[in-house]
Structures are given as structure tokens and as C-alpha cells.
Amino acid sequence: GAVVSQHPSWVICKSGTSVKIECRSLDFQATTMFWYRQFPKQSLMLMATSNEGSKATYEQGVEKDKFLINHASLTLSTLTVTSAHPEDSSFYICSAGQDTQYFGPGTRLTVL
Amino acid sequence: DAKTTQPTSMDCAEGRAANLPCNHSTISGNEYVYWYRQIHSQGPQYIIHGLKNNETNEMASLIITEDRKSSTLILPHATLRDTAVYYCIVRVVPNTGNQFYFGTGTSLTVIP
């Protein structure tokens, strides 16, 4: 199957700082990528749809000014958590693909 | 996309077949059944998908009832590494949105 990577795999930051997470499709082009968030012992929650060349689409309740998404190329989408706070600590996962979605390995964010 | 219902948890003895059920009674004619699994602290892994015929690949078999209102994922010889949360998702294909909405899944524990 197709391969999706994420970087970094884990990050620890201080409250108030911004953190950027990268999602790359390694062997295919993706005009659309998706970002999910997962809290401990919960299911994945879709946050937003990243569209190459246009603005991201956010799910209801997700703050677009806090979670900035940039789809710079057909193989790269970035999620920036701005002014991070402890409640933003979570497991962030991206996906890409056509009808079958392939998921990245996830990024563990811990905000102190 | 139609909703799915899965048991919260299941146990299976190592070496035996694991049969994971999924109910999707409101599935429509153009919706496929997808199965993913998520091993702790990793991104979801694609397993298999199907429309109405039974499907088999190197990982598992998917049995879909004739009325398509339910399906069963079969892991023929479960190993300890199959311990994971298994998600059953139904979605329209082709899907211009492409996003997956995850339910709560079934936590499968393979017992030595």
C-alpha cells in the first residue's frame, strides 16, 4: 500500500509556543490530506481537510486560527498548533489517498 | 456515510480465528465496508474493504451478508501482534470528500 509519513513522531513544547507537524505522501501525490486528533482511550476525531492550492476545510468546533493548515505541494501538508496549551496535548494523525485512505504513524504532542 | 456498530471488546486465543462483527444496517447501495486497525500509539492500518462480495487478502477475510447490513472481519490465525483496536467504516466510493469518520471500534485482545 501507499506510504504516508509524519514528522516529528513526538514533540514536547512549552505552553504558548507553536508547533509544526509535517505529513508527507511518499509514493503518490495527494491533492487532499486529512488531519485527525486522538485523545487517550478515544477514537480518531477528524479535524480538517487539507486541500492543495486552496484553504483547508475545518470540522465543526475546530478553531481554524489555532490549527493552521498549509498544503504546500502535492506531497506535503503541515499542521501548525499555534500558542499551544496543555489541553492541546494529543496524538495527531494525518491521512492521504484516493478511495482507500492511508494513515501516517502519528505525532505525539505534549504541551507543558 | 452510514453509521456502524461494533462490540466494545473481544478476546481471542492465539492461533485461533478472530471473528469481528460489524453492524451497518443503514448502509446504502454505493457504500463500501472498510476495515482498519490501530495498534497502540500508531496510525491506523488498512486491512481490507469490500462492496458485496466476500474478500480475502494476505491479512484477513471480509464476509458481507447478502443484505449487506452486517459484516465480519476474520483473522484466520490470530497472533499476539494482532492485538489492536479494529474499526469498521462504511463510505461511498468514489468519494470526493475522502474523509473517514471513525466510530469507537472493537478492542481485540489476543491471549497467549
Side-chain angles (χ1 to χ4, degrees):
Chain A
V3 179
V4 176
S5 70
Q6 283 184 241
H7 177 79
S9 55
W10 60 269
V11 57
I12 301 172
C13 70
K14 293 182 178 180
S15 184
T17 61
S18 295
V19 175
K20 180 185 287 187
I21 302 170
E22 294 184 348
C23 176
R24 294 181 184 274
S25 56
L26 297 186
D27 50 2
F28 65 100
Q29 295 182 331
T31 56
T32 304
M33 293 183 175
F34 300 93
W35 288 96
Y36 295 80
R37 180 168 53 180
Q38 186 176 33
F39 292 108
K41 298 189 183 301
Q42 295 186 22
S43 186
L44 282 77
M45 182 181 71
L46 179 67
M47 297 176 65
T49 301
S50 173
N51 303 299
E52 192 270 338
S54 64
K55 291 183 179 180
T57 305
Y58 292 83
E59 295 295 300
Q60 189 173 8
V62 178
E63 301 175 57
K64 62 179 181 180
D65 294 331
K66 180 167 187 62
F67 299 100
L68 301 179
I69 292 174
N70 182 281
H71 201 133
S73 73
L74 289 173
T75 59
L76 173 64
S77 174
T78 60
L79 169 69
T80 301
V81 183
T82 62
S83 186
H85 292 285
E87 57 265 31
D88 298 322
S89 297
S90 189
F91 192 51
Y92 292 86
I93 307 168
C94 68
S95 74
Q98 291 299 317
D99 296 320
T100 296
Q101 286 289 298
Y102 296 95
F103 290 80
T107 297
R108 175 78 56 190
L109 170 64
T110 301
V111 185
L112 302 177
Chain B
D1 295 334
K3 290 187 177 180
T4 62
T5 304
Q6 299 177 252
T8 302
S9 63
M10 294 181 62
D11 292 339
C12 176
E14 187 178 18
R16 303 295 293 270
N19 298 282
L20 292 90
C22 179
N23 181 286
H24 31 79
S25 58
T26 61
I27 193 170
S28 59
N30 59 350
E31 288 186 306
Y32 281 65
V33 180
Y34 277 80
W35 282 85
Y36 284 79
R37 72 180 182 184
Q38 185 178 26
I39 297 171
H40 182 63
S41 295
Q42 297 182 25
Q45 176 190 23
Y46 167 76
I47 301 174
I48 198 168
H49 75 282
L51 181 62
K52 54 183 178 181
N53 297 322
N54 298 336
E55 302 287 344
T56 295
N57 63 20
E58 65 278 5
M59 290 184 66
S61 295
L62 173 60
I63 308 298
I64 303 174
T65 58
E66 191 170 346
D67 63 7
R68 302 186 67 240
K69 293 185 177 182
S70 66
S71 62
T72 301
L73 178 73
I74 301 173
L75 307 178
H77 305 288
T79 70
L80 298 180
R81 285 181 289 185
D82 292 323
T83 292
V85 178
Y86 289 76
Y87 295 99
C88 167
I89 303 165
V90 296
R91 61 193 296 270
V92 173
V93 175
N95 189 315
T96 56
N98 283 348
Q99 62 267 50
F100 277 56
Y101 291 97
F102 284 77
T104 55
T106 295
S107 178
L108 174 69
T109 301
V110 180
I111 302 170

